[in-house]
Amino acid sequence: SLTEINSLKTTLPRLADALETFPALESFFALVAPLLLLTLNESLLPSILKWFAAWEGHVGASLLEASLFVKLCAFVFIQTFFVSALSGTITAELSNYLDNPEKIVDLLAN
C-alpha cells in the first residue's frame, strides 16, 4: 500500500535514502502520505471520469457535466460506504479466522 512508509521505501529508493538521512521525515510522511493520495485521487478522478463521459457521446456540455456528476457521486458513494465498510468487516473476520482456524471448519460445515 502506498500509505505505508515501508512500502514507500521499497517503491521510491531515493525517499528511503532521504528518510535515513533525516529520520524526522518518516513520521511526517506517515501522516501526510494518505492525505497526498486522497488529494491526488480527488484531483485526477474528475478528469478521468470526464474523459469517460465524453466517450458516451453526449451532445451538449450540460449533459456531459451531468454525466460527470452522476459518475462522481456513484464513485464517492461506493468508496465511502461499501469499500470502507467491507474492508473493515473483511479484515476483522479474517483476523478472527487466523486466530482460531477451527472456526473455518465450522463456517464451511454450515
Side-chain angles (χ1 to χ4, degrees), residues 11-66:
T11 306
L12 305 168
R14 299 185 94 202
L15 179 64
D17 296 338
L19 291 177
E20 287 177 10
T21 307
F22 304 104
L25 286 177
E26 189 166 348
S27 62
F28 174 75
F29 274 107
L31 294 173
V32 174
L35 181 63
L36 288 175
L37 285 175
L38 180 64
T39 304
L40 184 67
N41 183 27
E42 293 297 320
S43 64
L44 290 178
L45 184 66
S47 301
I48 295 169
L49 291 179
K50 192 169 192 173
W51 182 67
F52 283 137
W55 270 36
E56 291 176 358
H58 294 291
V59 177
S62 62
L63 290 175
L64 183 70
E65 293 295 324

Side-chain angles (χ1 to χ4, degrees), residues 8 24-25 30 52 83 86-87 92 94 106:
L8 281 175
L25 286 177
F52 283 137
V83 173
L86 289 178
S87 66
L94 188 60
D106 292 337

Side-chain angles (χ1 to χ4, degrees), residues 70-107:
V70 168
K71 286 174 182 36
L72 282 172
C73 288
F75 178 81
V76 169
F77 181 78
I78 290 169
Q79 182 184 24
T80 303
F81 294 111
F82 293 118
V83 173
S84 62
L86 289 178
S87 66
T89 304
I90 289 172
T91 55
E93 287 300 316
L94 188 60
S95 66
N96 285 339
Y97 288 128
L98 290 176
D99 291 339
N100 297 322
E102 54 272 356
K103 285 185 178 180
I104 297 173
V105 175
D106 292 337
L107 175 70

